Amino acid sequence: MRSLKLFLRPSTGVRNISSLILPETHSKLKNVCREFSEAELRPVAATLDKQQMFPSDQIKKLADLGILGVVVDKKYGGSGSDSLALSIAVEEISRCCGGTGSIVSIHNALYAGIINKVGTPEQKLQFLQDFISRGIVGCFALSEPGSGSDAANMHTLAKREGDHWILNGTKAWVTNGIEGGAIIVIARSDVSKSHSGVSAFIVPTNTPGLTRGKRDDKLGIRAASSCNIILDNVIVPVENMLGNEGDGFKIAMSGIDLARIGIASQAIGISQAAMDCAIDYAGNRTAFGNPIIKLSAVQQRLAKMATRLEASRLLTWKAAWLRDNNLPFTKAASMAKLEASQTATYVTHNCIQILGGIGYIADMPAERHYRDARITEIYAGPTDIQYLVIAEKLAKEYGYKTR
């Protein structure tokens, strides 16, 4: 099987994608990921969803392709590529299986990407190289039962004792939590401070005192596990701290910005799958003597779906381009995530409307696309939070403050 590393070179600076034509290496990547997804994911996606089954075989094959280390430096086993490449890969995977797209997106953006960016060489060797080569996924634990978007209100504590830290608390909705080999845990290391009193730690999941809660029984992306992570006097060596003490909130937010590009890409892939389903059905379903694609009402739905889908993709590619060229991208990532996630809900809803009754039953993939789409408006900051982020950045550009 061909590896991603054969097609992608390290990012080489400013690249103009306003021509709407992907660079050659990224076009090849798109084709590789599409071929893989059609062969390895589409035939099993419904089963993975129904049985809440982690796609372990497919994840190992994706690791062989280099997809578990898209933004990781080559010397640590990654592909040394960029966030546009990650966006393309996640979209194509999500087009055939939204759950697998979530696994790949979260692992790359909120585990591998963070460690590659701020980890020490020793941390990268231990928690990146081996994971990427063996197909082991990582996790990210920020949210808690009582603090989701209000992340600064977390209650998980980290106490320094000699050459180690002791962690106590409960993290919630940890994607890849059941299968993950290590978790980036965000915890409060100084209760007298707000954001600057938060630190980040790499915690192997086999560490004594760390236990997993039951697997969440979710509406969608059911191939991707999530669960609570309970930390009961978990001892973490000082060398497992990411960055410096007090850097945790900054590290988390930088990872979430990339995660929003990944989730936007996931939403686009789900939307594209629903769009394909709707057009194929409309072109073959006959009513009133003609294929229903000849009906004006159906044409209007399809036109609106296609337009919003294309706009979402361009917003997402712009956010990725900004990040890849070391330009501010927080607002663009929120815009992409906001529009792509709402578009996924809109497109999958209209797909079911075009299919009618058959779209409501599990014999067709339309209802799975609809369920998978809903999470994209929730995790890494729900729609309402994206409005706040965009407004704050917009006001700042004009010299104003929102708070």
Side-chain angles (χ1 to χ4, degrees):
M1 188 174 289
R2 292 172 293 177
S3 171
L4 171 63
K5 299 172 189 177
L6 296 175
F7 300 113
L8 293 184
R9 299 184 296 272
S11 182
T12 55
V14 176
R15 175 183 64 247
N16 188 349
I17 61 170
S18 62
S19 64
L20 312 185
I21 300 175
L22 286 173
E24 181 182 359
T25 52
H26 292 71
S27 295
K28 290 179 178 178
L29 167 65
K30 185 180 182 72
N31 292 335
V32 168
C33 290
R34 175 164 293 194
E35 289 172 6
F36 173 87
S37 299
E38 289 289 348
E40 299 287 344
L41 291 172
R42 185 180 295 281
V44 299
T47 300
L48 296 176
D49 171 75
K50 186 175 183 179
Q51 298 182 9
Q52 296 194 85
M53 184 185 302
F54 183 81
S56 55
D57 291 343
Q58 289 77 10
I59 290 297
K60 289 176 181 176
K61 291 177 181 178
L62 284 168
D64 292 339
L65 285 171
I67 304 298
L68 293 192
V70 177
V71 295
V72 173
D73 296 339
K74 287 187 176 181
K75 65 179 177 179
Y76 297 112
S79 303
S81 193
D82 53 22
S83 47
L84 179 60
L86 178 59
S87 173
I88 291 166
V90 170
E91 176 185 339
E92 289 302 326
I93 292 166
S94 301
R95 181 172 164 267
C96 288
C97 180
T100 305
S102 180
I103 294 166
V104 170
S105 176
I106 298 302
H107 166 84
N108 273 281
L110 290 173
Y111 178 79
I114 288 177
I115 296 177
N116 187 72
K117 182 178 180 180
V118 302
T120 64
E122 294 76 18
Q123 289 171 343
K124 293 175 185 179
L125 285 171
Q126 182 178 357
F127 296 108
L128 279 184
Q129 196 166 52
D130 196 39
F131 277 52
I132 292 170
S133 63
R134 293 171 55 196
I136 303 172
V137 293
C139 317
F140 176 80
L142 173 64
S143 295
E144 299 181 359
S147 65
S149 297
D150 185 16
N153 191 38
M154 71 182 68
H155 296 289
T156 297
L157 298 178
K159 182 180 179 181
R160 176 75 181 263
E161 287 192 3
D163 62 354
H164 60 265
W165 291 84
I166 300 178
L167 273 58
N168 283 283
T170 299
K171 293 297 183 177
W173 308 294
V174 178
T175 301
N176 300 335
I178 298 295
E179 301 83 12
I183 307 173
I184 294 176
V185 176
I186 311 298
R188 187 169 297 284
S189 55
D190 189 339
V191 295
S192 68
K193 299 177 181 178
S194 181
H195 297 97
S196 61
V198 174
S199 299
F201 305 87
I202 308 174
V203 185
T205 52
N206 62 359
T207 304
L210 186 154
T211 57
R212 299 174 170 97
K214 69 178 182 65
R215 178 176 179 137
D216 297 327
D217 189 5
K218 302 190 299 294
L219 174 71
I221 60 164
R222 291 164 63 83
S225 71
S226 66
C227 65
N228 281 5
I229 297 293
I230 300 95
L231 306 161
D232 183 11
N233 290 321
V234 172
I235 297 175
V236 180
V238 292
E239 55 266 26
N240 280 26
M241 175 179 279
L242 274 169
N244 298 314
E245 184 177 352
D247 286 348
F249 195 80
K250 179 175 64 177
I251 289 170
M253 292 304 105
S254 67
I256 286 174
D257 280 343
L258 177 57
R260 286 171 179 162
I261 294 174
I263 292 166
S265 306
Q266 177 192 5
I268 293 165
I270 295 167
S271 295
Q272 187 65 62
M275 187 82 207
D276 296 343
C277 178
I279 291 180
D280 184 61
Y281 183 82
N284 288 280
R285 171 75 163 94
T286 299
F288 308 106
N290 287 296
I292 63 171
I293 201 168
K294 293 188 176 183
L295 297 175
S296 175
V298 173
Q299 292 171 13
Q300 289 185 44
R301 285 189 189 273
L302 292 173
K304 292 174 184 177
M305 292 159 67
T307 301
R308 291 189 60 172
L309 175 54
E310 287 298 318
S312 297
R313 184 176 285 117
L314 291 176
L315 280 169
T316 303
W317 285 2
K318 177 184 177 181
W321 180 85
L322 289 170
R323 182 182 186 275
D324 292 340
N325 289 283
N326 299 312
L327 296 169
F329 73 99
T330 296
K331 184 183 76 171
S334 283
M335 284 181 164
K337 201 260 188 188
L338 171 70
E339 182 59 28
S341 62
Q342 290 186 323
T343 293
T345 299
Y346 177 84
V347 170
T348 55
H349 166 83
N350 278 277
C351 174
I352 291 177
Q353 291 302 114
I354 290 170
L355 268 65
I358 199 170
Y360 195 68
I361 62 175
D363 290 351
M364 292 289 283
E367 59 86 29
R368 170 164 51 86
H369 300 326
Y370 183 77
R371 290 186 287 105
D372 286 348
R374 290 300 298 120
I375 190 61
T376 64
E377 285 198 66
I378 298 171
Y379 62 178
T383 298
D384 309 84
I385 292 297
Q386 306 314 316
Y387 286 133
L388 296 179
V389 172
I390 295 165
E392 180 179 17
K393 296 297 181 182
L394 183 64
K396 186 177 181 180
E397 292 171 4
Y398 282 81
Y400 299 105
K401 296 181 178 180
T402 58
R403 54 180 172 173

